[in-house]
Amino acid sequence: MEDKKLRLFSAVQPSGIPTIANYIGAIKNWVTLQDEYECIYSIADLHTLTVKQVPAELRQRTLELLALYLACGVDPEKSVMFVQSHVPQHAELTWILNTMTYPGELSRMTQYKDKSKKHAENVNMGLMDYPVLMAADILLYNAAVVPVGKDQKQHLEIARDLAVRFNNRYSPTFTVPEGFIPKMGANIMSLQDPEHKMSKSDANENAFISMNDDRDTIIRKFKRAVTDSENLIAFDENRKGISNLLTIYCVFSGKTAGQAEAEFKGVGYGDFKLAVGETVANTICPIAERKKQYLADRDYLDKIIIEGKEKASYMAQKMLAKVYKKVGLYTPERKK
Ligand code: AQP
């Protein structure tokens, strides 16, 4: 008998056009994991509301994100793709988990602190509660594996703690999820400020490579990337700019750290940056082209979204009903 595949959950927020960091940290791995796991990939639109959005842009970016998943190679025949807000059980489980989460656990989260500073005019409860919604996303599907970049590691810990807390308080219910963090590229840094991570919502467009950028833009942004004055192309944790560019080069070229360092021995920064830009463009530009084609077929995208909602809702409702029963919420039995 064939072994049942483990379930895997991951998501990206339509909070901007995804960058190569979102691609490297998450989507790229989703494609390769599709055969090994039963994969569920969400478009985390509820999460984006934790910062102010322009409604029409948010709707458009939701479709764009699905088109990107498809263009990167996520296969609707193998994986479930759905929009988070279409499955209300995410918000419902969040409420239950909220009653078991302590404010101190959430207020010490790095992302909460960073985003509270960045959006000081709008420090809302949702921003603080973000990790609980993320825990609900994962636990609702009994996901065993969650591919994420390093920035989400803290949040994944909260999901694990909540699973254990619930299981101990009631009885074994949730699978305790494990992170799948790529060995290379789990923390891609800003091209303009290599002390900070690359983010799709960065106000400085030169800080990131968007998955929509064309070849010339990609090369121009890499040429402007902040490095140092040492003129030595080698990994060094004290030289974050060069190390970041080398990491990006390795991920997109498939070369090891040693191979990349050997290739660029004695090469000037200008030529190195050009090589990184061209290598990235060779992967990104064909994806952007495919994405445009998917985006032009609205009926196909809507069909995937509707089918994804049905499949995800079935799994989510099964789990939520179990949770409601365990915590003592009454449900009448339907008489035949
Ligand atoms: N810099 C990064 N390096 C590697 N992986 C990263 N991820 C994000 N930034 C990096 C991974 O991308 C996936 C999707 O992220 P998200 O959209 O859910 O939210 P995020 O982590 O907050 O990403 P951004 O780009 O920084 O979005 P904004 O600007 O809206 O906050 C996750 O797996 C994440 O780890």
Side-chain angles (χ1 to χ4, degrees):
M1 207 176 82
E2 203 185 314
D3 283 343
K4 201 170 177 319
K5 287 179 180 171
L6 287 177
R7 213 174 260 171
L8 176 152
F9 178 93
S10 195
V12 173
Q13 300 181 70
S15 49
I17 301 299
T19 67
I20 55 168
N22 304 126
Y23 175 72
I24 298 171
I27 308 172
K28 182 173 184 283
N29 303 310
W30 296 4
V31 178
T32 50
L33 293 165
Q34 285 183 111
D35 292 318
E36 203 179 327
Y37 297 95
E38 182 188 346
C39 297
I40 303 169
Y41 297 129
S42 182
I43 294 172
D45 58 346
L46 291 175
H47 274 100
T48 67
L49 301 178
T50 55
V51 303
K52 279 186 191 148
Q53 302 292 333
V54 177
E57 287 178 10
L58 176 57
R59 275 191 286 273
Q60 175 61 20
R61 285 197 306 255
T62 300
L63 283 176
E64 284 213 28
L65 192 50
L66 176 63
L68 180 67
Y69 289 179
L70 294 166
C72 288
V74 181
D75 180 352
E77 297 293 321
K78 294 181 184 167
S79 304
V80 175
M81 284 174 268
F82 74 101
V83 178
Q84 185 188 31
S85 63
H86 295 180
V87 181
Q89 289 83 355
H90 288 247
E92 292 174 281
L93 181 59
T94 300
W95 176 254
I96 303 290
L97 297 177
N98 267 337
T99 64
M100 315 178 61
T101 311
Y102 309 108
E105 291 179 289
L106 301 179
S107 60
R108 66 180 171 79
M109 292 289 106
T110 307
Q111 179 178 291
Y112 172 66
K113 289 194 230 163
D114 287 351
K115 290 208 166 166
S116 298
K117 264 191 228 149
K118 208 165 141 194
H119 304 280
E121 80 303 339
N122 182 28
V123 182
N124 59 78
M125 288 308 295
L127 196 58
M128 192 165 165
D129 208 30
Y130 184 111
V132 183
L133 178 56
M134 178 165 153
D137 295 340
I138 298 165
L139 302 184
L140 208 44
Y141 300 97
N142 255 334
V145 181
V146 184
V148 280
K150 239 187 210 152
D151 64 318
Q152 293 296 338
K153 208 171 158 216
Q154 262 193 336
H155 293 170
L156 190 66
E157 272 312 309
I158 297 239
R160 289 170 56 84
D161 289 348
L162 285 170
V164 171
R165 201 171 294 165
F166 189 98
N167 290 349
N168 289 342
R169 191 180 292 183
Y170 299 100
S171 60
T173 307
F174 294 124
T175 301
V176 181
E178 296 287 342
F180 179 98
I181 297 179
K183 284 196 185 71
M184 176 83 86
N187 198 18
I188 299 294
M189 309 312 275
S190 154
L191 298 184
Q192 290 299 310
D193 175 7
E195 292 295 327
H196 289 101
K197 73 164 202 146
M198 185 181 284
S199 261
K200 63 174 115 57
S201 62
D202 199 314
N204 182 352
E205 291 212 343
N206 288 319
F208 56 80
I209 304 291
S210 134
M211 294 297 285
N212 271 1
D213 282 345
D214 61 29
R215 194 173 195 88
D216 289 349
T217 308
I218 295 171
I219 290 171
R220 180 172 40 79
K221 285 185 180 178
F222 275 113
K223 276 191 186 157
R224 288 187 185 166
V226 169
T227 47
D228 51 49
S229 53
E230 285 198 33
N231 242 331
L232 173 69
I233 300 168
F235 279 98
D236 177 345
E237 61 181 42
N238 296 316
R239 296 168 57 230
K240 296 236 166 70
I242 279 292
S243 300
N244 190 40
L245 293 180
L246 268 171
T247 301
I248 294 171
Y249 180 75
C250 288
V251 173
F252 281 94
S253 65
K255 292 183 181 158
T256 62
Q259 285 168 336
E261 285 177 338
E263 185 178 342
F264 293 112
K265 202 166 174 206
V267 172
Y269 280 0
D271 289 342
F272 168 57
K273 287 177 176 181
L274 180 64
V276 180
E278 282 178 340
T279 306
V280 171
N282 289 345
T283 302
I284 296 305
C285 295
I287 292 178
E289 268 314 306
R290 284 198 295 277
K291 183 185 141 183
K292 261 192 221 155
Q293 289 163 11
Y294 280 117
L295 210 47
D297 192 350
R298 177 75 176 265
D299 288 348
Y300 180 61
L301 297 180
D302 280 348
K303 180 174 169 280
I304 292 177
I305 287 178
I306 292 166
E307 285 175 3
K309 173 192 165 155
E310 283 163 5
K311 288 180 195 158
S313 296
Y314 176 77
M315 295 183 257
Q317 185 46 38
K318 229 165 124 182
M319 176 55 97
L320 190 73
K322 206 192 253 186
V323 168
Y324 274 13
K325 193 167 175 195
K326 292 209 180 186
V327 302
L329 302 182
Y330 177 72
T331 317
E333 303 251 331
R334 198 178 276 277
K335 295 275 179 288
K336 286 200 180 135

